[in-house]
Amino acid sequence: MKTIDTYNFNGQKAIIRVDFNVPIKDGIITDDTRIRAALPTIQKILNDGGAVVLMSHLGRPKGGPEEKYSLKPVAVHLQKLLPNKIHFVEDCIGPKALEAKTRLNFGEVLLLENLRFHKEEEAGDEMFSRDLASGMDVYVNDAFGTAHRAHASTTIIAQFFPNNKMFGYLMEKELAAMDKVLHNAESPSLAIIGGAKVSSKIEVIENLLSRVDTMIIGGGMAFTFFKAMGKNIGKSLVEDDHLETARKIMHKAKERGIELLLPIDSLNASEFSNDAQTNITNIDNIPSDMMGLDIGPKTIDLFDNIIRSSKTILWNGPMGVFEMEKFMKGTLEIAKSIAKATEEGAFSLVGGGDSVAAVNQFNLENKISYVSTGGGAMLEYMEGKVLPGVAAIRS
Ligand code: AMP
């Protein structure tokens, strides 16, 4: 398999699938993290003496052009970040796109208009993919967030570059971080799974149960486990149709000798509101008219001890309703413990929309070994699934 580092792009035109799905308000990009994240791959190709064609989706257009989903502002922004000439073309396929690709000089960049202005992108259409590939010598995929979709630009296009396809730096880093946790974890290894529902994470939990030494389950989903154990959980969130799922998970953990840890105390609230009356009780004493919205202080201490003695840590899903200030502490303290463990030499990987948002909100992103950019793609990879966008390069 070719890698971006060992490939010489001199005299080559490379098409890169990037993730430029950035927030734009009134034509202004309000967060350019994803654009800046793509720069190392773009610069490597340009510095080698190659030319770069960029393709991405933006938002959810309905299959035709829509001004508010145009990538044009991204081209303008990119020109502020790179000294090289940036061109933009108002379609990603067809004669205009081909002409722009043909005219493109080495050392220059061409950004194609939003891929999803054509419904063929998400349909994984072969003719559309061929059109994207036309005039190009190399295909680079650097958009991990869409790697779980067999779209034209993420998967189907790869077949037109049987000997010249590779991952970009971002995607290489992302895969290396996840493979480290899944296949190469230094012991003791720990997975911390939280969030609202166990139903959305059953497969992740099951796959991780054969890969880690310890698993912590926190957040709303823990109450389905407590109810399955016969405990009174008051008005806490519960999935009654998944009590059996919870029992099976506990059974599997026991069978495999994996320590499964649940909260031991709870911060309870009279209602789902930041203005609610609250109290802290042991997990066995949640009042019938209250709901657990965060882990309690004893749990924070218990989890901190486990985290700080782990060498590999994966975290997905908050420990409580961290969006409300009153119920943020559990998630904050867990994030801090992971940051400390990382400082002390552990490898940590945080992924999933809410845990990443929490880490960013607490300004801890630079204290975690790797913060994953791909929510859905990361979960599927962690479930042990083969992602089409990854398989298309590796095959
Ligand atoms: P998920 O998308 O499954 O990772 O769930 C994230 C959501 O779970 C966040 O919006 C949290 O507010 C929510 N959550 C975490 N703990 C609880 C809890 N104890 N009760 C209700 N919701 C929770």
Side-chain angles (χ1 to χ4, degrees):
M1 214 180 92
K2 293 193 167 121
T3 73
I4 182 152
D5 255 336
T6 55
Y7 196 88
N8 185 354
F9 289 89
N10 189 25
Q12 303 277 298
K13 287 188 175 175
I15 185 157
I16 319 178
R17 176 49 158 108
V18 287
D19 178 4
F20 282 173
N21 186 25
V22 292
I24 300 181
K25 215 171 175 209
D26 304 324
I28 305 291
I29 290 150
T30 53
D31 180 354
D32 70 348
T33 311
R34 286 181 172 166
I35 302 175
R36 280 186 287 107
L39 293 179
T41 297
I42 298 171
Q43 280 164 323
K44 150 74 180 163
I45 296 170
L46 294 174
N47 291 343
D48 272 6
V52 170
V53 175
L54 300 168
M55 55 177 173
S56 176
H57 75 284
L58 174 67
R60 294 178 182 276
K62 296 185 178 67
E66 281 177 65
E67 184 63 31
K68 67 173 171 176
Y69 294 126
S70 172
L71 279 166
K72 194 154 194 192
V74 176
V76 174
H77 191 84
L78 201 53
Q79 190 63 82
K80 293 180 195 155
L81 302 176
L82 285 173
N84 312 62
K85 177 90 187 122
I86 314 290
H87 305 271
F88 177 76
V89 58
E90 65 207 43
D91 201 351
C92 62
I93 55 157
K96 276 189 190 152
L98 187 58
E99 195 199 331
K101 283 172 175 171
T102 311
R103 284 168 131 203
L104 186 67
N105 295 309
F106 296 110
E108 294 181 352
V109 178
L110 167 68
L111 175 62
L112 306 178
E113 182 55 290
N114 196 340
L115 291 159
R116 293 195 188 164
F117 284 177
H118 296 268
K119 57 182 185 334
E120 289 83 355
E121 159 64 359
E122 288 181 87
D125 184 83
E126 201 169 311
M127 286 305 287
F128 177 80
S129 309
R130 187 189 294 273
D131 205 330
L132 290 174
S134 67
M136 298 286 101
D137 303 304
V138 191
Y139 169 61
V140 180
N141 190 351
D142 213 12
F144 180 74
T146 46
H148 57 318
R149 306 280 181 233
H151 294 169
S153 68
T154 63
T155 304
I156 315 302
I157 188 175
Q159 64 187 281
F160 301 107
F161 303 89
N163 302 310
N164 286 325
K165 52 182 181 174
M166 64 200 76
F167 298 124
Y169 288 123
L170 262 185
M171 194 131 160
E172 269 185 357
K173 265 199 286 183
E174 189 94 27
L175 293 171
M178 286 190 301
D179 285 336
K180 196 173 162 83
V181 172
L182 286 180
H183 307 295
N184 230 337
E186 189 182 343
S187 269
S189 60
L190 167 70
I192 307 164
I193 308 291
K197 292 181 173 176
V198 65
S199 55
S200 61
K201 295 187 185 160
I202 299 169
E203 282 159 308
V204 179
I205 293 173
E206 287 195 341
N207 189 37
L208 289 172
L209 276 181
S210 51
R211 313 215 174 251
V212 295
D213 302 310
T214 307
M215 181 175 287
I216 284 175
I217 291 190
M221 69 167 70
F223 296 102
T224 299
F225 287 78
F226 291 131
K227 185 157 181 189
M229 291 155 84
K231 292 188 196 296
N232 175 20
I233 56 166
K235 291 194 295 177
S236 305
L237 188 71
V238 68
E239 287 178 285
D240 279 314
D241 47 346
H242 280 287
L243 297 176
E244 197 44 41
T245 307
R247 281 188 205 106
K248 272 193 197 144
I249 289 170
M250 289 187 282
H251 180 74
K252 210 173 251 183
K254 204 170 188 180
E255 224 175 43
R256 293 185 184 163
I258 288 156
E259 192 177 16
L260 184 67
L261 287 169
L262 290 159
I264 52 176
D265 61 349
S266 169
L267 172 57
N268 309 309
S270 53
E271 57 182 322
F272 193 82
S273 154
N274 202 37
D275 303 321
Q277 301 287 321
T278 60
N279 69 9
I280 293 168
T281 63
N282 282 341
I283 217 68
D284 291 310
N285 300 324
I286 299 175
S288 313
D289 57 349
M290 294 183 95
M291 60 185 84
L293 293 187
D294 197 7
I295 52 176
K298 285 191 213 155
T299 306
I300 291 175
D301 276 351
L302 171 72
F303 289 179
D304 177 65
N305 269 320
I306 303 290
I307 291 168
R308 302 284 289 281
S309 59
S310 298
K311 281 283 165 220
T312 309
I313 304 159
L314 164 73
W315 180 32
N316 177 290
M319 293 291 104
V321 185
F322 77 103
E323 299 94 331
M324 296 185 206
E325 210 193 330
K326 257 190 186 160
F327 312 108
M328 189 176 78
K329 192 171 181 348
T331 302
L332 170 63
E333 293 303 326
I334 291 311
K336 280 192 193 159
S337 297
I338 298 172
K340 280 189 202 134
T342 311
E343 210 164 49
E344 290 155 7
F347 177 83
S348 57
L349 167 60
V350 176
D354 281 307
S355 353
V356 172
V359 161
N360 290 337
Q361 186 183 325
F362 308 144
N363 286 321
L364 292 169
E365 64 272 25
N366 296 324
K367 299 192 165 165
I368 306 292
S369 310
Y370 195 80
V371 179
S372 171
T373 55
M378 179 203 172
L379 274 189
E380 287 197 20
Y381 204 80
M382 287 292 164
E383 285 170 6
K385 288 195 182 133
V386 176
L387 308 187
V390 174
I393 300 284
R394 285 185 175 159
S395 68

